[in-house]
Amino acid sequence: MDQMSLLLLLLLGAVVTVPLGDRLKLPAPVLMTLFGVVLAFASFVPDVDIPPEIILPALLPPLLYASVQRTSWRQFAANKRPIFLLAVALVFLTTAAVAVVADAIVPGLPLAAAVALGALVAPPDPVAATAVAGSVGLPRRLISILEGEGLFNDVTAIVLYHVAIAAAVSGTFSLPEAFGLLVLSAVVAIAVGVALGWLTIKLMGLLGDATLQVGLTLLVPFVSYVLAEELKGSGVLAVLMTAMFLAEHTADADDVLGRLTGRTFWEIVDTLVTGIAFGLIGLELHNVFGTADGRELEMAGWGLAVVAVVVGVRLLYLLPATWLAKRLHTRRDVSEEIPTSWRETVVMWWAGMRGVASVALALAIPLETDDGSPFPGRDEIVFIAFSVIMVTLVFQGLTLPWLVRRLGVRADTDAEAALERELAIRAARAARQRLKKIEETEDLPEEVVERLHRLAYEVGARISPEMGDDERRDAYAKRVERFRTVGRVQREMLSAARHAVLDARSEPGADPEVVDRVLRQLDVRSLR
């Protein structure tokens, strides 16, 4: 088996583990990691050979961009305090604690290399955490905090990582210079992200076609990352800013096809890239054991010590941090999403699994320093990092659903239903107001007006069937049943039409382009 065959096998695994995880009630990222572990020890599977310098720019931009699609700037603004406490303060604290312990227990490990180790194991993985959280039905506010924490702690940790790596490679370190690099990195990244977001909007207007626009969004995160890195900025922060800028400024309520196409496309990209990333975690395990060189037990001890620090620091920090967030929330009456009980805090603690970012940073450690000597402690850092990843990802990932059930933490379905009903009422009201304005300017037949008023109500009823009184709900239910019958028959009719058009493709003299154009019209009609 060659590298290309292995990549195709990982892609197949990424697709298969999603429904398999649903059936087994297990998170797909954990299953994909275990799949990679199995492949790693199979004799016919080759060792993964990926240059360290391309791992971060290949994996992180699409994952970050896809993650931002699931959130909004308002959500970040409302949760800035808990996100800051988790994403910035906790990352710094974890980095410092791991660096101190690693410097003390690993012989010959320079402090800069120990800081790099601390930075790469500090950020919990948002992909794994939200995948598990979504499968066990956590409250939406916890998922929002985990997503926000995951995005911003990646930024913080990666900037710290680059500063530490630069110090280890050059052999020199200056605190004022490092702080200046942090500030410069952030400023450049924000400027690049916003500028590229603005330019992308202009290009989308010129392209017009939904397919081309979606294709452009695939290129944008990679361009944002590479451009920011070339200008000495944070590529991760640049991608984050670009994605958030586009999410806020490209929302077109009437671009139905573009929205459906874009969402479907990025769900596919997210699934495939996530599968590859977690599969690589398992596959690299074989190489990691190869670096131990007979010191497996000693290095495993170091890894467990760092695991204890990472997990312990998160718990010891979250307890007072969430208490402080609740106190500030109460005093200022700020609309932010925070854990409301110690049970939710414990779930947040156990959801701090390490994953894609950590493995990418570990594999991206340079092989040599500026003077040509091997990077100090690289094998030890990679082994310890993978120990942390495997223990937190596999063990915590598999036990988190059990912990959630034991603690009785559940999504607030009543609040979600109330919000859904409120949005349904708002949608129906907007439809009626627009209809009223049209009635004032156009002379519509009475039977058409009556039908349109009924449709205005159904706009909201389709979203929340509970809205309206009993009589209207019963009438709507009967109409829905009739529509289902008509829809079923109509689907069969349209299916026959599509088959007839497709059959024409194989007939002599048929123009495939014309056939595809007609088929697209039938497909759009079927969606409606």
Side-chain angles (χ1 to χ4, degrees):
M1 178 182 289
D2 56 17
Q3 298 285 329
M4 179 58 70
S5 300
L6 179 58
L7 175 61
L8 294 175
L9 190 59
L10 286 178
L11 291 172
L12 176 62
V15 175
V16 172
T17 52
V18 174
L20 182 61
D22 292 338
R23 288 193 174 189
L24 299 177
K25 305 298 181 184
L26 294 174
V30 176
L31 291 180
M32 195 62 201
T33 303
L34 295 176
F35 177 60
V37 172
V38 173
L39 290 178
F41 292 95
S43 59
F44 61 88
V45 176
D47 290 337
V48 179
D49 184 18
I50 304 177
E53 63 273 10
I54 73 168
I55 292 175
L56 286 176
L59 292 179
L60 288 184
L63 291 176
L64 288 169
Y65 191 90
S67 297
V68 175
Q69 307 306 306
R70 297 189 289 267
T71 185
S72 68
W73 176 255
R74 186 219 63 82
Q75 201 169 51
F76 282 120
N79 297 317
K80 58 182 179 296
R81 184 164 38 240
I83 288 174
F84 175 81
L85 288 172
L86 293 172
V88 180
L90 182 54
V91 166
F92 273 98
L93 183 60
T94 304
T95 300
V98 170
V100 170
V101 172
D103 183 61
I105 65 175
V106 181
L109 186 68
L111 182 59
V115 173
L117 171 62
L120 69 89
V121 299
D125 185 77
V127 178
T130 53
V132 176
S135 64
V136 298
L138 287 183
R140 181 60 208 172
R141 61 180 176 277
L142 290 188
I143 298 177
S144 298
I145 296 173
L146 288 172
E147 288 176 343
E149 176 198 5
L151 290 172
F152 279 98
N153 65 25
D154 279 354
V155 174
T156 308
I158 290 173
V159 172
L160 283 175
Y161 167 86
H162 282 308
V163 171
I165 290 294
V169 168
S170 64
T172 60
F173 177 76
S174 169
L175 184 60
E177 182 179 352
F179 180 76
L181 288 175
L182 284 172
V183 175
L184 177 63
S185 176
V187 171
V188 170
I190 293 172
V192 169
V194 173
L196 190 60
W198 177 86
L199 179 61
T200 302
I201 292 175
K202 298 300 181 184
L203 288 175
M204 283 185 172
L206 293 175
L207 294 175
D209 182 73
T211 304
L212 297 177
Q213 290 177 346
V214 173
L216 178 63
T217 64
L218 177 62
L219 299 177
V220 165
F222 293 102
V223 173
S224 182
Y225 185 96
V226 173
L227 182 59
E229 290 289 325
E230 288 292 327
L231 298 176
K232 307 303 180 184
S234 168
V236 175
L237 181 57
V239 174
L240 184 62
M241 294 304 301
T242 300
M244 293 182 68
F245 188 90
L246 291 176
E248 291 297 316
H249 293 88
T250 58
D252 183 357
D254 295 325
D255 186 16
V256 178
L257 184 59
R259 185 161 49 250
L260 291 175
T261 304
R263 177 167 297 183
T264 302
F265 174 81
W266 274 103
E267 285 177 355
I268 295 171
V269 171
D270 191 23
T271 299
L272 295 179
V273 177
T274 300
I276 292 175
F278 283 99
L280 284 176
I281 294 175
L283 279 169
E284 283 292 338
L285 198 62
H286 186 268
N287 294 338
V288 170
F289 274 105
T291 64
D293 194 22
R295 299 180 296 160
E296 287 86 358
L297 291 179
E298 182 183 24
M299 293 174 71
W302 299 340
L304 291 177
V306 174
V307 169
V309 172
V310 167
V311 176
V313 166
R314 183 172 175 85
L315 176 63
L316 294 176
Y317 181 84
L318 279 180
L319 291 174
T322 52
W323 174 84
L324 177 61
K326 283 195 290 186
R327 289 295 298 267
L328 295 173
H329 174 81
T330 302
R331 290 177 181 177
R332 300 185 183 184
D333 194 30
V334 178
S335 178
E336 62 184 3
E337 295 160 317
I338 59 175
T340 58
S341 67
W342 67 268
R343 291 180 176 84
E344 293 185 357
T345 301
V346 171
V347 170
M348 278 196 62
W349 161 57
W350 204 242
M353 296 164 282
R354 273 57 181 176
V356 176
S358 294
V359 70
L361 292 174
L363 297 178
I365 296 175
L367 300 176
E368 297 179 346
T369 61
D370 287 343
D371 60 7
S373 60
F375 188 94
R378 187 182 192 276
D379 291 344
E380 290 82 356
I381 292 174
V382 172
F383 190 97
I384 294 172
F386 271 81
S387 300
V388 175
I389 293 165
M390 292 304 296
V391 171
T392 58
L393 178 60
V394 176
F395 179 67
Q396 290 182 221
L398 292 176
T399 56
L400 182 61
W402 172 85
L403 180 66
V404 170
R405 289 193 298 269
R406 290 283 300 188
L407 294 177
V409 177
R410 290 288 182 270
D412 191 352
T413 54
D414 292 340
E416 292 180 3
L419 177 58
E420 191 174 80
R421 186 173 184 276
E422 179 186 339
L423 292 174
I425 294 173
R426 184 185 299 183
R429 184 184 299 121
R432 287 196 301 269
Q433 290 175 349
R434 184 60 179 267
L435 176 58
K436 184 177 180 180
K437 291 182 179 179
I438 294 174
E439 285 184 83
E440 293 174 353
T441 57
E442 298 183 29
D443 185 18
L444 300 176
E446 184 176 346
E447 62 274 11
V448 172
V449 172
E450 182 181 351
R451 183 178 180 184
L452 290 173
H453 275 284
R454 188 167 61 246
L455 289 175
Y457 167 78
E458 291 174 359
V459 166
R462 286 178 182 270
I463 302 171
S464 177
E466 299 301 318
M467 66 174 290
D469 52 35
D470 293 340
E471 183 178 350
R472 299 187 75 176
R473 283 201 299 269
D474 291 341
Y476 174 69
K478 292 177 181 178
R479 286 197 299 274
V480 167
E481 186 61 34
R482 290 198 301 270
F483 288 151
R484 285 175 179 169
T485 303
V486 172
R488 176 178 54 81
V489 176
Q490 189 178 45
R491 282 193 297 273
E492 294 185 14
M493 294 166 58
L494 288 171
S495 175
R498 288 192 298 270
H499 278 86
V501 172
L502 276 175
D503 290 342
R505 242 181 175 273
S506 58
E507 295 176 359
D511 187 339
E513 186 175 344
V514 176
V515 172
D516 289 342
R517 186 163 64 242
V518 174
L519 186 61
R520 178 179 174 82
Q521 294 176 9
L522 289 173
D523 288 341
V524 172
R525 179 67 184 87
S526 300
L527 283 176
R528 292 174 181 172

